[in-house]
Amino acid sequence: MPHVPARRAVPVTAAALLLAPALVAAAPAGAELPDAGRATAGRSTAAVRVAVTGGSYTASVGLVRTGPRTLFGGFYCAADGISPTPLTALVDADRIYHLGGVRAHWDPATQDYVVTVIHGDAADSTKQWNAYVNEKKITTGPCHTAIKGGDKVRWTLEAASGAASGTGTAERPPRRRRER
């Protein structure tokens, strides 16, 4: 039988255990965490379906595994601090299926991201990107809405709240019949 050297146990002191969390200190505000762009072990992940509609680009992609993380170089996106969100699903779908790029900006008033562009289709004063989970429009921000495995997430470019939708309430004049 070949000789295998025995492994020696290394003693760990209480001071070493207390020092370990300090080595994993939080990144400074605005810094991209090293795990950005992929779900992190120990945090909730979900496999969901993602679709993009309403603009010139329409897509419905296969399963996307998503989880909470820091996005767009600055803010942590996780519902309840641990759950994946419609925005993390969109970013992961773009990374996996090449949807053509996703851009968003941080809104300090809502403490959440606002999606501004998906595949070149930009929101403006008359249209905005809205997220739906299982065909129900979300009522909180895209980083404050939890999603779970099996959910269907859809991002739709549609008329902005308060913008004219072309179906105004003004009464139309009656149609005149053509005389022959």
Side-chain angles (χ1 to χ4, degrees), residues 51-68:
V52 176
T53 62
S56 60
Y57 177 77
T58 298
S60 183
V61 299
L63 285 176
V64 174
R65 181 152 301 277
T66 189

Side-chain angles (χ1 to χ4, degrees), residues 67-166:
R69 77 183 135 291
T70 300
L71 295 176
F72 305 109
F75 298 94
Y76 191 67
C77 185
D80 305 322
I82 59 169
S83 299
T85 69
L87 186 54
T88 61
L90 176 64
V91 169
D92 286 332
D94 182 48
R95 181 178 49 83
I96 297 166
Y97 295 101
H98 310 289
L99 300 180
V102 174
R103 286 191 300 193
H105 72 271
W106 183 255
D107 180 8
T110 62
Q111 292 290 295
D112 210 333
Y113 283 102
V114 175
V115 174
T116 55
V117 177
I118 301 174
H119 192 76
D121 291 326
D124 59 26
S125 62
T126 62
K127 54 190 176 189
Q128 65 189 21
W129 284 105
N130 291 312
Y132 292 78
V133 176
N134 298 325
E135 297 306 319
K136 189 173 183 181
K137 187 175 180 179
I138 64 171
T139 58
T140 59
C143 286
H144 290 109
T145 303
I147 58 174
K148 61 187 179 328
D151 282 349
K152 293 177 183 170
V153 177
R154 178 171 48 93
W155 284 86
T156 301
L157 186 62
E158 53 195 12
S161 301
S165 63

Side-chain angles (χ1 to χ4, degrees), residues 10-21:
V10 177
V12 178
T13 64
L17 291 175
L18 291 174
L19 180 60

